[in-house]
Amino acid sequence: MGEVKQDYLIEETANQIFADYCQLDRFKSYEQGEWQAALWKTLAESGLTAIDIPENLNGCGANSIDAFNFLRIAAYHSAPLPLADHFIACKILQAINSPISDGFITTSSSLHQELTITETNTGIKLNGFLRNIAAARHAKSIVVLLNYKQKKHALILDPGQGNLIHGQNMAGEPVDDMAIENLTINSSQLINGKGTLEDIHQLAALTRCVMCWGALARVLELSIAHATERTQFGRPIAKFQAVQQDIAKLAGEVAATHVTVDHAVGSYCAAGNSKHFSSLVAAAKVVSCRAAGFAATVSHQIHGAMGFTNEHPLHLFTRRLWTWREEYGNEYQWQQHLGQYLLRENYPSPWYWCSA
Amino acid sequence: MALLNFPAIELSDDLLSLRQQVRDFIEAQLANHQFSATVDAWLSGYSREFSQALAEQGWLGMTIPTTLGGQGKSPLQRFVVIEELLAAGAPVAAHWVADRQTGPLLVDVGSKQQQEKYLPGIIRGEIYFAIGLSEPNSGSDLASITTKATKVDGGWLLNGRKIWSSGAHFCHAMVVLCRTEALDEKNRHKGMSQLLVDLDQPGITIRPIELINGEHHFNEVSFEDVWIADEMVLGQLGQGWKQVMSELAYERSGPERFLSTLPLFTELVNVVQADAPLYEDERIQSTIGDLSAQLLALHQLSLRVTATLCNGGQADTEAVLVKDLGTRFEKHLSEAARIVISKKGSAAAPTALGRFMEKAILHSPGFTLRGGTNEILRGIIVRGLGLR
């Protein structure tokens, strides 16, 4: 794998690589389905594609906080690669103690499985669809979680084991469905992580929170820059109170997202998976998803008609915010999840939970 | 990438143990019926006994240096104590202003004589202060105040009116912002000073101002030729505006800006937990989850602002942002109980939940007006973001 970077260099290196690479024409190419091989190569060579995977599994062995930070920075630059999905796939492999090899691997949420599982003498047979797989057409393998015998099992599939149906999400990113017909899987291929796979869904949800945070920060900056530069009626539109009020509220949503997501990440990095961590992910999802919608609406309003074209970079962030807020559960699901959690846990007050 | 700073903070074992001590104290006080939780307790919960009980625990004057009789604790230690008191709806109104800002202000700019006169009483929970800033014609535009002090031999004669002074009717003294020089239209911030005014003097009239629900917390305080000795000028003559701005930083950065209605939330969750149809209601579950997520966000924001102040950093824009977000949350929370009450089929308020909700809603217009009207604060936020 690539050379190991020290923690504080990861942020700097990532920012540098993305700032150099992320030009508008590259995004057009990505949306036309072209794999950004040069960017992937640069990231892989810098050790940025397996940041917190242990060295004995071919990762860089850095802290998970660096890995989440990296995803936030990638989102801040709207990096044209499904880095979070690769991250999740690697985390599944890590959970089952499987080494990572070079190349892009991907995953799909268990929320997007439409599979019939039939038992066979040697294992199972799969029929149906895996949906919403990030860039399956460019992936070496697809790593998913299957519910089998009431437990989560990891399964590594080759894209050639099904029929890929190419598609795009709202952000124009390549997202594919895989049609599976009578696929025989040996039971030895279904790896029960002995409980280590339980937090994958939360980690995946947390990647979306972290990505929303990165995009939100960028959207706030763009909005401030636009309001300061755009003049109408003889003055920058930043002089109008209506615009100031909106930007102040936007800053509030960005700040709320920042601290809630950061707190969840910090909890994971300090204490790993826990019941409490799962509740913090829920809170981070609720706050970041609501902020995402608000930010997209407000920033487009501030940017006016010009921000509503694909010649302006704003859409690179707002379309991703609209997309990511739906992935691995939106705020409605996670609000209910968190409410049920708090009722079940019988804290004397939600205050005790939030200050824990 | 960061326009604003909200550094992560892990509470030390000392702070966690302090928090537990406060929780134990509150539980004991509740068990002994020393108070019952109320909404908006830091405005409306007056109890001299409770203030003194807190003082006995060493929880007043926490950030005042030990050399001046205080506890010499950090802003974070004080924060941990007051957020527990606020979350519990404890009656902290009597000493609230004195402890939060007047004490620290006296430490920062007070003379030795002034410190000796007031600090011991503040720390013991016996001397209470009111704020003299707004006037009938000067609310958001504080620089337009007209209360003035005219120089006479050995002191000043104070004339004017201050309004919205909460607790002036039970307070011993007030810090009054006034003009000590003629107004300079080109620089309105110039020529203001802060005066320490004992409220039991001739020439002072305190008139109660009742809220829409008849509660009396606010007052109009009129000054007619009130004699103020030179020794009672606080800080530097002519530096009133600058001093007030730093005093406001104390006022704006605290957790009361999102915790005023928390007792309502606690009661709501308790009611839901005890009632199966409410417990199973998906909308109620979602409401609890939504509000809890926002509560967590605000707690983290407020805590991190305090951590910045603890490290000697500036957090003016961040504090104002938290105030805007927090007070809007207080309003959302005050509406939240409606979903439970409508399910129960009655808007009658003999229950604790109904009582809390009524009081919260009746107080709610004030949340986003007091401590700086939110719309004005948003102008300050964008200035901090470089927009103005």
Side-chain angles (χ1 to χ4, degrees):
Chain A
M1 232 44 235
E3 47 168 331
V4 176
K5 298 272 184 198
Q6 290 176 49
D7 314 345
Y8 62 89
L9 280 180
I10 289 176
E11 190 160 325
E12 216 178 284
T13 308
N15 269 314
Q16 191 61 65
I17 293 172
F18 291 131
D20 285 343
Y21 191 88
C22 297
Q23 311 301 327
L24 273 179
D25 59 322
R26 260 73 182 261
F27 295 110
K28 286 209 160 75
S29 145
Y30 184 53
E31 288 188 33
Q32 278 152 16
E34 284 158 35
W35 182 246
Q36 305 301 300
L39 180 58
W40 179 266
K41 184 160 178 283
T42 311
L43 292 174
E45 283 170 358
S46 309
L48 294 173
T49 50
I51 293 172
D52 69 334
I53 303 298
E55 284 178 327
N56 70 319
L57 296 178
N58 296 333
C60 284
N63 202 309
S64 289
I65 199 161
D66 296 315
F68 282 110
N69 235 10
F70 172 71
L71 291 178
R72 173 177 58 82
I73 292 165
Y76 175 84
H77 290 277
S78 175
L81 282 173
L83 294 165
D85 300 275
H86 175 79
F87 168 83
I88 297 161
C90 288
K91 292 311 260 183
I92 296 174
L93 293 182
Q94 178 188 353
I96 59 171
N97 229 21
S98 171
I100 318 291
S101 47
D102 283 349
F104 168 68
I105 59 177
T106 190
T107 187
S108 149
S109 165
S110 45
L111 297 171
H112 293 297
Q113 287 172 7
E114 295 167 16
L115 292 172
T116 323
I117 303 175
T118 29
E119 300 263 358
T120 68
N121 291 334
T122 49
I124 60 171
K125 205 187 293 197
L126 292 178
N127 274 288
F129 293 90
L130 286 176
R131 299 210 188 269
N132 262 43
I133 316 164
R137 70 192 90 149
H138 300 303
K140 249 184 46 184
S141 52
I142 303 167
V143 185
V144 294
L145 296 182
L146 269 193
N147 268 334
Y148 174 61
K149 293 197 193 312
Q150 274 126 26
K151 281 200 180 69
K152 290 192 173 61
H153 289 76
L155 173 64
I156 304 167
L157 293 173
D158 188 294
Q161 288 179 285
N163 251 336
L164 289 187
I165 305 153
H166 292 186
Q168 273 189 319
N169 63 19
M170 225 192 312
E173 297 176 301
V175 169
D176 304 326
D177 290 348
M178 182 159 144
I180 296 173
E181 202 179 331
N182 286 330
L183 181 64
T184 38
I185 307 284
N186 196 291
S187 55
S188 64
Q189 291 173 267
L190 292 165
I191 305 160
N192 171 356
K194 293 188 182 42
T196 60
L197 295 171
E198 296 311 312
D199 66 342
I200 296 295
H201 182 72
Q202 272 139 233
L203 285 184
L206 190 54
T207 65
R208 284 358 189 217
C209 296
V210 155
M211 288 148 71
C212 281
W213 175 12
L216 284 163
R218 192 63 181 272
V219 161
L220 176 61
E221 282 180 22
L222 287 171
S223 301
I224 292 170
H226 179 81
T228 318
E229 286 153 18
R230 172 71 173 173
T231 60
Q232 286 287 269
F233 305 106
R235 72 202 88 161
I237 64 169
K239 294 291 183 194
F240 292 96
Q241 284 188 359
V243 172
Q244 291 171 12
Q245 296 289 306
D246 271 352
I247 288 179
K249 288 181 197 169
L250 176 56
E253 294 301 311
V254 176
T257 300
H258 168 168
V259 301
T260 323
V261 176
D262 192 40
H263 188 56
V265 170
S267 163
Y268 180 73
C269 295
N273 188 37
S274 67
K275 228 172 28 172
H276 188 64
F277 167 64
S278 78
S279 71
L280 296 182
V281 173
K285 252 288 180 176
V286 170
V287 174
S288 63
C289 288
R290 290 176 70 234
F294 181 81
T297 301
V298 163
S299 63
H300 273 297
Q301 198 65 7
I302 289 169
H303 280 79
M306 282 153 58
F308 190 44
T309 73
N310 67 1
E311 291 161 17
H312 189 286
L314 181 63
H315 75 96
L316 295 171
F317 305 95
T318 53
R319 287 195 300 152
R320 278 166 175 74
L321 286 169
W322 282 323
T323 303
W324 295 335
R325 70 175 174 172
E326 303 302 344
E327 293 178 343
Y328 294 95
N330 60 27
E331 64 267 41
Y332 298 105
Q333 287 146 317
W334 287 103
Q335 277 166 12
Q336 192 182 349
H337 177 96
L338 182 56
Q340 288 171 342
Y341 175 87
L342 288 169
L343 288 169
R344 244 187 354 255
E345 291 298 307
N346 251 326
Y347 285 96
S349 165
W351 173 249
Y352 279 61
W353 166 76
C354 110
S355 55
Chain B
M1 190 172 137
L3 288 166
L4 299 169
N5 285 315
F6 292 102
I9 167 109
E10 195 67 49
L11 291 187
S12 66
D13 286 339
D14 281 346
L15 287 169
L16 294 175
S17 127
L18 175 58
R19 173 193 281 166
Q20 191 54 50
Q21 284 172 45
V22 181
R23 286 185 181 176
D24 292 341
F25 170 82
I26 289 169
E27 216 180 286
Q29 290 274 316
L30 284 168
N32 291 332
H33 306 288
Q34 293 305 307
F35 79 92
S36 51
T38 56
V39 155
D40 217 7
W42 61 273
L43 174 70
S44 58
Y46 174 92
S47 168
R48 192 176 178 80
E49 296 74 32
F50 192 82
S51 297
Q52 288 172 333
L54 285 180
E56 271 162 44
Q57 297 291 319
W59 293 336
L60 292 190
M62 284 180 77
T63 54
I64 295 174
T66 48
T67 46
L68 293 172
Q71 320 303 337
K73 304 287 186 195
S74 72
L76 213 41
Q77 286 167 306
R78 179 173 181 271
F79 181 87
V80 159
V81 169
I82 61 175
E83 64 172 7
E84 291 303 320
L85 294 170
L86 291 168
V92 293
H95 66 263
W96 192 250
V97 167
D99 184 62
R100 178 183 67 188
Q101 64 202 77
T102 320
L105 182 63
L106 283 164
V107 169
D108 287 346
V109 301
S111 69
K112 194 164 183 314
Q113 186 188 0
Q114 292 163 351
Q115 290 170 347
E116 279 170 9
K117 179 174 181 186
Y118 293 113
L119 286 181
I122 289 175
I123 295 164
R124 280 195 309 267
E126 288 167 5
I127 291 185
Y128 311 137
F129 267 82
I131 300 173
L133 285 176
S134 296
E135 296 177 5
N137 290 323
S138 304
S140 296
D141 187 10
L142 188 60
S144 67
I145 55 160
T146 55
T147 296
K148 67 176 200 258
T150 325
K151 193 78 192 65
V152 292
D153 199 29
W156 302 80
L157 285 182
L158 181 63
N159 280 283
R161 279 152 77 192
K162 290 297 180 187
I163 202 172
W164 311 128
S165 303
S166 39
H169 57 295
F170 62 70
C171 286
H172 304 88
M174 177 187 269
V175 179
V176 175
L177 181 73
C178 59
R179 292 209 162 275
T180 41
E181 284 168 41
L183 170 66
D184 174 1
E185 277 295 349
K186 292 202 205 82
N187 186 356
R188 298 187 317 150
H189 295 171
K190 222 174 82 163
M192 286 188 265
S193 308
Q194 288 185 299
L195 303 183
L196 285 162
V197 180
D198 287 331
L199 289 171
D200 58 354
Q201 295 178 76
I204 299 181
T205 312
I206 301 176
R207 180 183 77 79
I209 300 174
E210 288 177 6
L211 293 179
I212 56 177
N213 66 345
E215 280 178 46
H216 170 214
H217 307 296
F218 294 116
N219 301 277
E220 182 187 77
V221 183
S222 308
F223 308 96
E224 200 182 314
D225 283 344
V226 178
W227 158 255
I228 310 291
D230 277 327
E231 296 76 51
M232 296 294 263
V233 171
L234 178 59
Q236 275 187 279
L237 214 48
Q239 289 301 302
W241 184 259
K242 183 159 164 262
Q243 287 171 198
V244 163
M245 289 302 113
S246 68
E247 189 189 340
L248 282 178
Y250 292 116
E251 195 181 313
R252 282 176 181 162
S253 58
E256 70 266 40
R257 303 302 177 181
F258 70 97
L259 288 174
S260 307
T261 49
L262 194 78
L264 169 60
F265 194 22
T266 301
E267 183 60 23
L268 179 132
V269 174
N270 288 338
V271 165
V272 170
Q273 270 166 331
D275 186 319
L278 296 177
Y279 192 106
E280 300 300 327
D281 186 309
E282 288 181 5
R283 258 187 341 161
I284 291 176
Q285 291 168 355
S286 295
T287 301
I288 291 173
D290 184 24
L291 291 169
S292 298
Q294 292 178 54
L295 178 66
L296 180 77
L298 284 161
H299 176 63
Q300 280 296 310
L301 285 166
S302 194
L303 181 60
R304 290 168 185 232
V305 163
T306 305
T308 303
L309 296 176
C310 236
N311 294 329
Q314 296 269 59
D316 292 345
T317 310
E318 288 82 353
V320 166
L321 180 147
V322 177
K323 197 263 176 192
D324 180 24
L325 218 45
T327 50
R328 281 191 275 140
F329 168 72
E330 289 176 331
K331 281 179 139 155
H332 293 149
L333 205 40
S334 71
E335 299 277 314
R338 299 176 64 218
I339 198 175
V340 168
I341 286 184
S342 75
K343 179 120 183 160
K344 288 188 83 84
S346 167
T351 62
L353 184 65
R355 276 198 316 274
F356 279 165
M357 187 185 88
E358 263 193 20
K359 183 167 177 189
I361 289 173
L362 286 166
H363 278 227
S364 67
F367 302 153
T368 48
L369 295 170
R370 62 193 185 186
T373 306
N374 285 22
E375 284 78 2
I376 299 291
L377 296 182
R378 285 179 211 136
I380 297 173
I381 293 169
V382 296
R383 192 182 294 126
L385 293 173
L387 204 74
R388 296 169 66 190

